[in-house]
Amino acid sequence: MKKIKVLDVVNINKVLDGTMLLGAPIEDVKAILRFRREAQPVVNGWNDLLKDAITKLKGETITEEQLNKHLNEALADEAKREVEITPFAISEEGEVAILAQSRVECGQWEAIKEALKPVAKEQ
């Protein structure tokens, strides 16, 4: 297992929303679907917390800028909290298939690969 910040899990999941897996090797498909399964409770928890915080902090006299400042301060600890995710690597064949048909930029894909790559075992 690998520890990743909640906000990183949310952002990676959002990028993976735009991926198509047709033509990728089955092991790559399984790895991405496993991540999505593991990420779902984290993403749902974050979205519920965000919605609740907006409801509780929003008032008639608060500006959007003030609301965003309060949200950032109130949710900072939760955004930085680490959760465990099963790391994985996608094959070159899988990358080609996924990037060819998905709305994922190469920079986003590289960031995802770095965040989710398996941890090298210490000797």
Side-chain angles (χ1 to χ4, degrees):
M1 298 298 274
K2 183 173 183 177
K3 291 188 178 198
I4 301 176
K5 293 177 184 172
V6 166
L7 196 55
D8 290 339
V9 171
V10 171
N11 290 332
I12 289 168
N13 194 62
K14 189 180 295 185
V15 171
L16 292 178
D17 281 344
T19 60
M20 298 298 294
L21 304 176
L22 184 65
I26 195 65
E27 291 307 315
D28 294 342
V29 172
K30 287 179 179 181
I32 290 174
L33 293 179
R34 182 181 56 241
F35 170 81
R36 302 269 291 169
R37 177 180 43 81
E38 291 177 7
Q40 186 175 8
V42 175
V43 172
N44 290 344
W46 173 259
N47 289 339
D48 290 346
L49 182 63
L50 181 59
K51 185 189 304 182
D52 190 44
I54 290 170
T55 301
K56 304 287 190 235
L57 291 170
K58 196 170 185 176
E60 292 180 20
T61 59
I62 193 169
T63 66
E64 188 152 343
E65 183 178 323
Q66 291 171 321
L67 176 61
N68 287 335
K69 182 180 180 212
H70 289 311
L71 285 172
N72 288 337
E73 290 173 10
L75 300 176
D77 290 339
E78 179 62 16
K80 292 186 281 186
R81 182 175 64 87
E82 291 186 330
V83 295
E84 289 191 339
I85 295 291
T86 304
F88 64 91
I90 299 296
S91 68
E92 285 185 39
E93 181 184 342
E95 280 187 47
V96 169
I98 291 167
L99 291 175
Q101 59 186 341
S102 301
R103 299 177 311 229
V104 178
E105 297 174 12
C106 286
Q108 292 173 313
W109 186 253
E110 291 302 317
I112 289 171
K113 282 179 19 180
E114 181 64 28
L116 297 176
K117 75 178 179 184
V119 180
K121 296 192 183 220
E122 294 182 18
Q123 296 185 18

